[in-house]
Amino acid sequence: MTNALEVYGLRKSYGEKMVLKGIDLRVRRGDIFALLGINGAGKTTALECIEGLRKYDGGSVSVNGRIGIQLQSAALPAHIKGSEAVRLFAKWNRKTADASMLEALGADSIADKQYKEMSTGQKRRLHLALALICSPDIVFLDEPTAGLDIEGRISLHRYIRNLKAHGKTIILASHDMAEVEGLCDSIAILREGEIAFAGTVTALTERIGKHYNIRIQTDQGSEIYESDNIGASLTAILKSYQEKNMVIQDIRVDRGSLEQHFLKIAKGE
């Protein structure tokens, strides 16, 4: 089986409100995949159904391998120490407690720190270490870098890429589009409980069109224009400025970000 995850016709309702309307997903083994969606799109419900944390009403979920789940929050006792949490989860999973796990994640400094004393970033690292104790084939990461400083984010991204290099499949939920673009092999965008797009970031760009931002700086300030046709737009913009006798000091053209492409699909624009 080349897919780590296969979802067919997944449906979930809360009362009369249908949150998931029969979604289909396939994630290849060894890929880093992101499920995206604006608030209310059904992303959290879909992930919880796939992870087995929530019952669904219809459809099927096939997971090919052992899973590990890193949630944004965990119900760990306030006074438990990092090293104690590692030993506890290792015992549950019939594994040998390995302090090097905390060291690899840069979290060895919290081994003797109580959970209530940890920063948000330190808790994120500990949650990931606990998710990996069972030696999972598929790792679910929910906002893994939220609360981390730049150094911590870089370190964690390096660790995620290392997991992929060792054949792990990563399923990511993130609001950081730069993170998604830099890490992911494929993405899916949920809109109102349905898959609005599934494929690579490159395929998303090709579907939306080559979207660009044009920034014009003059002595009177700066203006930003959006365009799908740089040549035609620049010709019209420059002509307009010339007619107004405005002196252009700088021109900058940037490719549209993944965030812009994502919003176009997610909002149905």
Side-chain angles (χ1 to χ4, degrees):
M1 184 176 182
T2 58
N3 292 327
L5 173 68
E6 294 184 352
V7 177
Y8 296 102
L10 188 64
R11 301 191 310 277
K12 175 65 180 177
S13 297
Y14 297 112
E16 296 182 355
K17 181 177 176 57
M18 183 173 286
V19 179
L20 300 178
K21 303 173 182 177
I23 66 172
D24 297 332
L25 284 174
R26 283 171 292 282
V27 180
R28 293 182 305 176
R29 183 184 295 152
D31 271 8
I32 300 178
F33 166 85
L35 182 61
L36 310 175
I38 61 176
N39 291 337
K43 178 174 78 306
T44 299
T45 297
L47 287 174
E48 289 178 349
C49 289
I50 293 169
E51 292 164 348
L53 299 177
R54 187 177 297 278
K55 292 183 178 180
Y56 47 90
D57 301 326
S60 65
V61 176
S62 298
V63 179
N64 184 29
R66 183 190 296 267
I67 71 171
I69 305 172
Q70 176 258 316
L71 301 173
Q72 287 195 48
S73 61
L76 289 172
H79 298 286
I80 195 170
K81 295 180 181 179
S83 58
E84 292 172 339
V86 169
R87 289 198 297 272
L88 177 62
F89 273 66
K91 187 175 182 63
W92 280 343
N93 287 279
R94 299 180 181 178
K95 298 286 184 180
T96 302
D98 188 356
S100 66
M101 180 70 72
L102 290 174
E103 183 179 351
L105 290 168
D108 48 321
S109 61
I110 63 174
D112 296 320
K113 181 178 287 190
Q114 291 184 344
Y115 188 70
K116 67 175 183 177
E117 298 172 341
M118 298 179 191
S119 67
T120 300
Q122 289 173 332
K123 289 179 179 178
R124 289 280 191 276
R125 292 174 185 273
L126 177 59
H127 298 164
L128 179 55
L130 299 179
L132 296 173
I133 284 176
C134 67
S135 301
D137 305 296
I138 306 166
V139 185
F140 288 84
L141 303 178
D142 191 355
E143 302 290 344
T145 58
L148 295 182
D149 56 21
I150 294 177
E151 183 179 359
R153 288 165 58 84
I154 293 173
S155 175
L156 189 53
H157 286 174
R158 186 183 304 118
Y159 194 82
I160 290 173
R161 292 188 181 97
N162 185 57
L163 289 174
K164 171 183 168 64
H166 284 81
K168 307 294 185 184
T169 303
I170 312 295
I171 297 178
L172 176 72
S174 175
H175 285 95
D176 186 338
M177 293 298 107
E179 177 173 82
V180 171
E181 189 167 16
L183 287 175
C184 293
D185 301 292
S186 59
I187 62 174
I189 299 174
L190 268 175
R191 183 174 69 227
E192 298 180 353
E194 299 179 303
I195 298 294
F197 172 85
T200 64
V201 173
T202 300
L204 175 60
T205 303
E206 292 174 350
R207 171 171 169 174
I208 294 296
K210 294 183 177 180
H211 190 78
Y212 297 91
N213 297 321
I214 302 171
R215 181 179 179 275
I216 307 291
Q217 178 72 44
T218 70
D219 55 355
Q220 299 180 27
S222 63
E223 294 285 345
I224 298 177
Y225 304 87
E226 295 184 359
S227 172
D228 292 326
N229 187 326
I230 296 179
S233 296
L234 273 177
T235 299
I237 291 170
L238 294 176
K239 182 178 179 181
S240 173
Y241 277 65
Q242 186 178 32
E243 291 174 349
K244 297 176 184 178
N245 293 318
M246 296 175 68
V247 178
I248 295 177
Q249 298 175 332
D250 186 45
I251 299 176
R252 179 174 178 175
V253 178
D254 294 316
R255 178 176 63 84
S257 65
L258 174 61
E259 184 172 6
Q260 290 173 316
H261 297 315
F262 159 69
L263 288 174
K264 279 182 175 290
I265 292 288
K267 293 183 177 181
E269 297 176 357

